Amino acid sequence: MSKGKTDDVTGTDTTGHSWDGIEELNTPLPRWWLWTLYLCIIWGILYTIAYPAWPMVSGATKGVLGWSTRANVAAEITAHEGKNADLVAQLLATDMDVLPASADLNRYAVARGGAVFRANCSQCHGSGAAGAKGYPNLLDDDWLWGGDMAEIEYTVRHGIRNEQDDDARYSQMPAFGEMLEKDEITAVVEHVVSLSNADFDAQLAETGAVVYADNCAACHGEAGLGDRSQGAPNLADAIWLYGGDREALTETVKNARFGVMPAWGPRLTEADVRAVSAYVHSLGGGE
């Protein structure tokens, strides 16, 4: 290593450092840049003292100012609820069946219910409420338990086949794979296909009609139109929750289906239960 000297090409002093004959020029950072760096460091230290910053085992340092994004959001929510207190009181006092008759109140309920739906229901029913396999489409007029305002509210409040609410809607289709022979299942599936599809084996469907009458008609009705009081779906409208092809129907007949919906009554406020019910009813399939 040699002592610092002046570079012949640039006229800049060198640091005295040399690697393989390459010498390092002594070009220090501008003073304004250094002071900016120092000020940023000081600002960063003061920020971590004033605001929540350093992660700890069960949280973060609070900061001497006690600032909290959660507290700010909670305050905004409280302020918003205060502005809508009169509408909330009206919503709680209004019978759900006559809610659509009050245009302003119903408009508020639907808007509020849309937000509740997107936060809690869209994960299963989809952001547009069109459903998916195993999750009902809320846009059509095919309801397992009824689609008027009161029935929708009951379903939202208590759920379906859950173990948390004693008033949950409940129905159980037997797994006919344990009761019927394979050829009987094939025949009854063909009969079910014939109820809504013109492409079927007439002879096999006729055999299946006997199996259907003996095992399925009690819940789904003689014509397969279903029974909402039991949650038994309509088999003649070509609307299927788990699929209407022969493979899907065979799976349903053999092993049954057991979809579960949580009870939202304990999870949402009373106003939110009513609002999301109004929103679902407004989507186009509500009766």
Side-chain angles (χ1 to χ4, degrees), residues 141-146 160-161 169-174 176 192 195 212 215-237 239-242 252 257:
D141 196 25
D142 193 66
W143 298 91
L144 285 175
W145 302 95
I160 298 172
R161 302 187 193 92
R169 297 191 184 278
Y170 201 96
S171 64
Q172 174 65 67
M173 175 179 172
F176 284 103
V192 171
L195 297 177
Y212 177 91
N215 297 276
C216 314
C219 293
H220 295 283
E222 294 182 4
L225 300 179
D227 182 358
R228 289 182 175 180
S229 66
Q230 302 182 67
N234 184 342
L235 305 178
D237 58 5
I239 298 176
W240 303 99
L241 187 56
Y242 293 95
T252 299
R257 306 289 187 174

Side-chain angles (χ1 to χ4, degrees), residues 24-270:
E24 179 183 8
L25 298 180
N26 184 15
T27 52
L29 293 168
R31 288 296 180 91
W32 68 265
W33 195 98
L34 287 174
W35 281 112
T36 302
L37 173 63
Y38 298 150
L39 289 174
C40 287
I41 294 172
I42 294 171
W43 178 86
I45 293 173
L46 293 176
Y47 184 93
T48 60
I49 294 173
Y51 294 95
W54 296 102
M56 307 296 283
V57 175
S58 58
T61 53
K62 301 296 183 182
V64 295
L65 297 182
W67 186 84
S68 169
T69 54
R70 290 180 180 272
N72 290 347
V73 171
E76 291 178 6
I77 292 175
T78 300
H80 178 77
E81 291 291 352
K83 293 178 182 178
N84 293 309
D86 291 341
L87 287 170
V88 172
Q90 293 178 48
L91 178 60
L92 296 176
T94 301
D95 188 284
M96 292 297 290
D97 287 330
V98 300
L99 178 62
S102 177
D104 290 340
L105 183 59
N106 188 61
R107 185 161 46 249
Y108 166 74
V110 170
R112 178 176 181 141
V116 176
F117 182 91
R118 288 185 289 274
N120 299 278
C121 314
S122 60
Q123 293 84 350
C124 291
H125 293 285
S127 59
K133 185 176 181 179
Y135 302 100
N137 182 348
L138 304 179
L139 304 177
D140 60 23
D141 196 25
D142 193 66
W143 298 91
L144 285 175
W145 302 95
D148 61 39
M149 189 78 82
E151 295 292 358
I152 293 173
E153 181 195 6
Y154 187 97
T155 300
V156 171
R157 186 182 305 280
H158 300 292
I160 298 172
R161 302 187 193 92
N162 62 70
E163 298 180 355
Q164 290 73 44
D165 193 317
D166 293 337
D167 293 320
R169 297 191 184 278
Y170 201 96
S171 64
Q172 174 65 67
M173 175 179 172
F176 284 103
E178 302 172 359
M179 308 176 193
L180 301 177
E181 299 296 330
K182 183 177 181 180
D183 59 341
E184 291 178 309
I185 293 176
T186 301
V188 77
V189 165
E190 196 66 21
H191 172 69
V192 171
V193 169
S194 73
L195 297 177
S196 61
N197 193 327
D199 182 17
F200 63 92
D201 184 322
Q203 184 175 355
L204 186 58
E206 184 177 353
T207 302
V210 178
V211 181
Y212 177 91
D214 292 340
N215 297 276
C216 314
C219 293
H220 295 283
E222 294 182 4
L225 300 179
D227 182 358
R228 289 182 175 180
S229 66
Q230 302 182 67
N234 184 342
L235 305 178
D237 58 5
I239 298 176
W240 303 99
L241 187 56
Y242 293 95
D245 58 80
R246 289 172 177 80
E247 182 179 359
L249 291 173
T250 299
E251 174 66 19
T252 299
V253 173
K254 287 177 61 178
N255 299 313
R257 306 289 187 174
F258 197 80
V260 175
M261 174 180 168
W264 289 103
R267 306 183 184 200
L268 302 175
T269 65
E270 177 65 19

